Amino acid sequence: MSLAANLGYPRFGAHRELKRALESYWSGKISERDLLNTGRQLRLTHWQLQRDAGIDVIPSNDFSFYDQVLDTSAMVGAIPARYAHLDTTPLDTYFAMARGLQKNALDISAMEMTKWFDTNYHYIVPEIELGQTFQITSTKVLDEFLEARQVGIHTRPVLLGPVSYLLLSKSVTVDSHIVEAGNPSTLTNPLAALTNLLPVYTEILSRLAAAGADWVQIDEPCLVLDLDEAAHHAYAAAYDQLSRVKGIQIMLATYFGGLGDNLAVAVGLPVAGLHIDLARAPQQLPTVLAQFPADKMLSLGVINGRNIWRTDLDAAFTTVQHAAATLGTDRLQIAPSCSLMFSPHDLALETELDAELRSWLAFARQKLDEVVLLKRALDEGLDAVTEPFAASRTAIERRRSSSRTQNPQVRARVEAVNDMMFHRQSDYPARKTRQAQQFALPPLPTTTIGSFPQTTEVRAQRTAFNKGTLSLSDYHAFLKTEIERTIRLQEEIGLDVLVHGEFERTDMVEYFGEQLTGIAFTQHGWVQSYGSRGVRPPIIYGDVARPAPMTVDWSVYAQSLTDRPVKGMLTGPVTILEWSFVRDDQPHAATCQQIALAVRDEVLDLENAGIGVIQIDEPALREGLPLRRADWAEYLQWAVDCFRLAASGVRDETQIHTHMCYAEFNDILEAIARMDADVISIEASRSKLELLEAFQRYEYPNSVGPGVYDIHSPRIPTQEEIETLILRTTGVLSLNQIWINPDCGLKTRHWEEVIPALERMVSAAKQAREILLSGSGANT
């Protein structure tokens, strides 16, 4: 008999209970006990839900109050020195690592945050010092296993594997959390810490075995990346040691891609089972089966854990049968491709989606049912699942033939795209000269990334409007008041290029998706991005077009209030694509080009309405990069082309900005340069501007705004701190290249944090400007 397994379940709760509890705790409205009780109730609910669905292998320790990588750092004692002696509870130390801490005389920055592989989830980057020592400082994985056992549910605990943990880490100096990137004398290879780390993992496994755990799921997602010989040796050494722990078997979980040239390493490790992703890499199954040892269990990730489309059960069952014919049913587990944390909770909550579209979808709860159906089909025969398989077949066929998925006008327009549409009128130096004459900005011009705080009042007014208790005219009057107040505030602070604040927007993708055809939205389809931050991705089910202008009226109104430039704020085509659940019946490149044409129309309408600075955000460009370098060129070609298609129709005098954040851009700078944005703003403050050296080495030609204010932390930076970052920037880039801005939009922050932070940022820019223009040491 096969087993129905799951690798992880969404943490937020069906109604975002975790988000609300976290934010209430951080604001002092509930106690630590209240927060812990919420977490306990969510875990219990999710374990029972999976058991009742028929899942045989239920995960524990897949829950987190912030991030599973941060949980691992807490477990192994990799707590940077700046947090190690805080006079706080362990939970508050944990949150300080994620968010920073500014309280009384304490002023401690947060750890760096970056994207988890090619997802929109963010993890907290571990910091590994030379000679790093480890010890068990959190027993969360054991505690949650015992918690489930107390209610009669036997779980398979989940751990992030030691090799992936180290490969995802950053090396730091012993006496500072600042990494001096590019200076080998201060850097170590994080894998050098493996010898010290393994005894902690060994002890954890021993304790789990003693508590009654018979299997543990150890996630090693880095096995789908390009790895060198040192990493291969690290895997061999790690699992040679971990496999010696008696009484517990290891299911090694890989996901987000195929094993490729790491297959021999993976199947050769002395573990009891291997999970493979057959949604992202279905082509790997024959090769895996050909090399698979006779003593191992194979977990088949045939249900896509990262999308919301109903599974073609016939196709998935064919895959399962193929594996069963080789290995037999007793050596098979049927599972999602990865944790279901990347999928919304439950389609049953979406009462406002039309019946046809609903029939095409499956959220996390429904994916559990699909796993169980495949297990039943394999163990009991297809006659046992005739009705649900027929329903799946009908939904797949109706979606394939639906007229809702194709728009002939959109397809004709795509066919008419020509090479001239991908190029600006002049090269960057000529544009820069014209823009300098147009805007007359000072050196080190200051701006923000776009959004300002979405206060309780802003959200309440939006909710009232959406419920019909506030009229359109009253809602627009409120928004205009907020915009004018924000324009005046920016003028008072002294910012050079302003924004309107985006108070009319719930989300930078959702707002645009609601005004484009071929896209649907959910009520409860929330997915965690980091900590308490959730997003509700649009569902791109058909061809995309823009029926009417989306942002022009608000931008024009804001510009009418001031003589300073006000940026038109747009989300770029790649980000709209990557932060949506995208149709899987045509290449992503085709869908992205449709979106690019819609954004291009908006850009031209903004320009024609008198908006001279237009920002097209592309924070997801790096996120969409394939995990294997061999696949990069194809992706970067169409992704950059889509940005250029959206941005290149404007006059030379119109200044195009873009924004990117929380990812590693060093290795794609050539592609970023090919985007040919006049100004790019980037996240840089948490890493203390590590990225700048890459821009210097590449000799990046256009203007750059490295973030000097970390907006993902409530901490307010000092003026001196910002000034130091600015002066460091001028030692790397020329003075006439640099813009001064925060890391990202300010939507999630509070006004009492934002105002002093921006005041200090502007004052620091002015002070740095005076120093540099007086002749002390800047590049020019």
Side-chain angles (χ1 to χ4, degrees), residues 305 379 402 414 461 742:
D379 293 343
S402 175
V414 169
Q461 293 287 318

Side-chain angles (χ1 to χ4, degrees), residues 63 85 90 111 138 174 186 195 222 270 285 302 332 350 429 438 448 483 518-519 522 586 613 691:
F63 175 85
H85 303 293
M111 295 171 70
S138 167
V174 175
T186 64
T195 301
C222 286
L285 181 60
V302 290
L332 291 183
E350 303 303 331
Q438 176 80 9
T448 65
I483 291 170
I519 300 180
T522 63
Q586 70 179 18
V613 182
L691 187 58

Side-chain angles (χ1 to χ4, degrees), residues 312-388:
D312 184 338
L313 292 178
D314 290 326
F317 185 59
T318 298
T319 299
V320 171
Q321 281 183 308
H322 181 194
T326 303
L327 303 181
T329 59
D330 290 347
R331 293 175 59 199
L332 291 183
Q333 293 184 7
I334 301 169
S337 58
C338 60
S339 169
L340 294 175
M341 65 179 283
F342 308 101
S343 178
H345 192 276
D346 190 353
L347 183 61
L349 299 172
E350 303 303 331
T351 57
E352 294 191 9
L353 285 177
D354 67 83
E356 181 183 33
L357 185 55
R358 275 173 54 90
S359 73
W360 300 348
L361 306 178
F363 290 0
R365 176 62 188 82
Q366 288 68 44
K367 290 178 186 292
L368 297 178
D369 292 337
E370 293 178 332
V371 168
V372 173
L373 283 169
L374 289 171
K375 168 190 158 55
R376 290 187 59 202
L378 185 63
D379 293 343
E380 304 171 32
L382 284 171
D383 288 345
V385 291
T386 300
E387 186 175 333

Side-chain angles (χ1 to χ4, degrees), residues 357 360 403-411 413 509-521 538-550 576-577 580-583 586 590-599 601:
L357 185 55
W360 300 348
S403 61
R404 296 176 68 177
T405 65
Q406 296 195 23
N407 182 328
Q409 293 177 322
V410 171
R411 296 188 173 227
R413 191 172 180 207
V509 173
E510 181 178 296
Y511 176 79
F512 292 94
E514 287 176 337
Q515 301 182 74
L516 298 170
T517 63
I519 300 180
F521 285 87
I539 298 170
I540 303 178
Y541 65 85
D543 290 341
V544 177
R546 185 199 73 144
M550 301 178 286
I576 292 177
L577 181 89
S580 300
F581 292 121
V582 185
R583 60 190 299 182
Q586 70 179 18
T591 302
C592 195
Q593 193 169 52
Q594 294 175 357
I595 302 170
L597 287 170
V599 176
D601 291 343

Side-chain angles (χ1 to χ4, degrees), residues 2-172:
S2 62
L3 294 174
N6 188 27
L7 276 65
Y9 202 72
R11 305 162 180 164
F12 255 22
H15 302 286
R16 293 188 292 164
E17 293 91 337
L18 179 59
K19 171 187 174 65
R20 294 187 173 92
L22 283 169
E23 292 176 355
S24 294
Y25 176 70
W26 293 334
S27 63
K29 295 176 183 176
I30 65 173
S31 68
E32 180 173 314
R33 175 179 292 182
D34 293 331
L35 177 61
L36 294 176
N37 284 339
T38 297
R40 189 176 299 111
Q41 184 58 52
L42 283 171
R43 292 191 295 272
L44 176 61
T45 298
H46 296 161
W47 289 327
Q48 292 174 333
L49 181 153
Q50 293 172 81
R51 179 194 60 191
D52 295 345
I55 297 297
D56 302 308
V57 181
I58 298 171
S60 60
N61 200 43
D62 55 328
F63 175 85
S64 176
F65 279 115
Y66 205 95
D67 164 51
Q68 72 272 11
V69 184
L70 182 61
D71 290 349
T72 306
S73 295
M75 179 184 76
V76 302
I79 300 173
R82 62 190 183 278
Y83 311 106
H85 303 293
L86 292 178
D87 185 19
T88 58
T89 66
L91 183 63
D92 283 342
T93 299
Y94 171 89
F95 287 137
M97 293 164 69
R99 307 176 71 238
L101 182 63
Q102 198 167 45
K103 184 178 181 181
N104 300 326
L106 290 173
D107 188 1
I108 304 174
S109 61
M111 295 171 70
E112 186 178 344
M113 182 168 68
T114 196
K115 295 291 179 71
W116 177 247
F117 293 83
D118 57 351
T119 75
N120 189 27
Y121 179 78
H122 303 67
Y123 75 94
I124 302 298
V125 181
E127 298 178 10
I128 306 299
E129 296 180 352
L130 181 65
Q132 177 81 49
T133 59
F134 301 96
Q135 60 180 326
I136 297 176
T137 50
S138 167
T139 57
K140 175 180 178 293
V141 60
L142 179 64
D143 298 340
E144 292 182 9
F145 172 78
L146 294 173
E147 185 181 292
R149 196 177 71 173
Q150 287 174 354
V151 295
I153 299 176
H154 185 77
T155 62
R156 182 174 70 185
V158 180
L159 290 170
L160 175 60
V163 181
S164 288
Y165 174 75
L166 292 176
L167 288 173
L168 295 168
S169 302
K170 61 187 286 186
S171 298
V172 300

Side-chain angles (χ1 to χ4, degrees), residues 662-681:
Y662 294 97
E664 298 296 332
F665 301 111
N666 307 40
D667 44 11
I668 61 166
L669 274 174
E670 183 177 350
I672 292 174
R674 198 170 71 80
M675 292 170 71
D676 199 27
D678 297 305
V679 182
I680 177 173
S681 56

Side-chain angles (χ1 to χ4, degrees), residues 615-756:
Q615 182 169 308
I616 308 172
D617 289 341
E618 285 291 17
L621 183 81
R622 179 63 172 79
E623 178 182 313
L625 194 68
L627 298 179
R628 296 284 190 159
R629 189 176 288 269
D631 301 320
W632 285 11
E634 180 184 1
Y635 164 77
L636 289 171
Q637 182 66 48
W638 65 254
V640 172
D641 280 352
C642 284
F643 178 86
R644 291 174 67 112
L645 180 61
S648 295
V650 296
R651 298 184 295 271
D652 287 348
E653 291 80 7
T654 297
Q655 190 172 79
I656 297 293
H657 290 227
T658 191
H659 170 65
M660 298 181 182
C661 59
Y662 294 97
E664 298 296 332
F665 301 111
N666 307 40
D667 44 11
I668 61 166
L669 274 174
E670 183 177 350
I672 292 174
R674 198 170 71 80
M675 292 170 71
D676 199 27
D678 297 305
V679 182
I680 177 173
S681 56
I682 54 171
E683 177 273 325
S685 66
R686 279 203 180 192
S687 61
K688 305 303 178 189
L689 306 180
E690 288 175 39
L691 187 58
L692 287 181
E693 284 83 355
F695 277 83
Q696 183 185 43
R697 288 193 300 271
Y698 180 73
E699 297 182 352
Y700 186 79
N702 298 15
S703 293
V704 183
V708 295
Y709 159 30
D710 175 18
I711 69 88
H712 289 86
S713 167
R715 178 180 172 273
I716 302 169
T718 65
Q719 179 177 326
E720 293 73 20
E721 180 182 340
I722 297 174
E723 188 177 325
T724 297
L725 293 177
I726 293 172
L727 293 175
R728 183 180 174 197
T729 302
T730 61
V732 176
L733 300 172
S734 64
L735 182 61
N736 63 4
Q737 275 186 288
I738 301 168
W739 283 63
I740 307 301
N741 46 258
D743 272 342
C744 203
L746 301 166
K747 169 186 170 182
T748 61
R749 300 268 55 91
H750 299 288
W751 282 109
E752 56 267 27
E753 301 160 359
V754 166
I755 292 173

